[in-house]
Amino acid sequence: LGDVYKRQYNTFGFLGLEERMSNKKFKLALIVWLIVASVASFLPNKIKIIVLSQYLNGVLLPLVVIPLLIITRDEKVMGKYKLGKLTTFLALVIVATTVLLFVAPIFH
C-alpha cells in the first residue's frame, strides 16, 4: 500500500493538481489505482505484461525525450544551463537506439 500511495501522491504532484491526501479526488484516484494494481496482480502471464509495459515505455520514450531536448537546447529557456552538443548527441543516440529496438521486431 505504501508504494502505491507514494506513486499516487507523486502523480498528483506531477500533474500540478497540488491536492492534499485528504481530498476526495485523491482518495478516489488512489482507490482506482489500487483496484487496477490488484486486478493486474491476479492476471496470468505476468512476464508478458511486464514485457509489454517495457515495450510501451520504449514507444513513449522518443515522444517525451525529443520535446525535452528541443526545450533544453533553447538558451532563452535554459540560460547558461542549456544542453551542450555532446549531451544532445548522446541523448539522440539513445533515442535512435530505442526507436531501432522498437522497429526491429516489426520487420523481423
Side-chain angles (χ1 to χ4, degrees), residues 37-108:
S38 298
V39 169
S41 70
F42 289 108
L43 292 175
N45 300 324
K46 291 178 187 78
I47 299 298
K48 288 182 181 180
I49 294 170
I50 293 169
V51 170
L52 176 65
S53 71
Q54 291 303 310
Y55 183 75
L56 293 175
N57 282 336
V59 171
L60 293 174
L61 178 73
L63 301 175
V64 172
V65 172
I66 291 173
L68 280 175
L69 284 174
I70 292 169
I71 291 169
T72 54
R73 290 281 302 154
D74 188 357
E75 194 168 353
K76 293 177 188 174
V77 175
M78 297 301 292
K80 69 178 184 175
Y81 299 106
K82 82 173 203 153
L83 281 184
K85 291 179 182 178
L86 178 62
T87 306
T88 304
F89 174 75
L90 291 173
L92 289 174
V93 167
I94 291 169
V95 169
T97 303
T98 303
V99 170
L100 286 174
L101 290 172
F102 166 68
V103 173
I106 295 172
F107 296 109
H108 189 269

Side-chain angles (χ1 to χ4, degrees), residues 18-37:
E18 301 298 326
E19 302 291 346
R20 300 289 177 235
M21 291 182 277
S22 60
N23 189 308
K24 289 181 183 179
K25 289 180 186 177
F26 181 85
K27 288 181 180 178
L28 177 64
L30 178 62
I31 290 169
V32 170
W33 187 256
L34 285 171
I35 291 170
V36 169

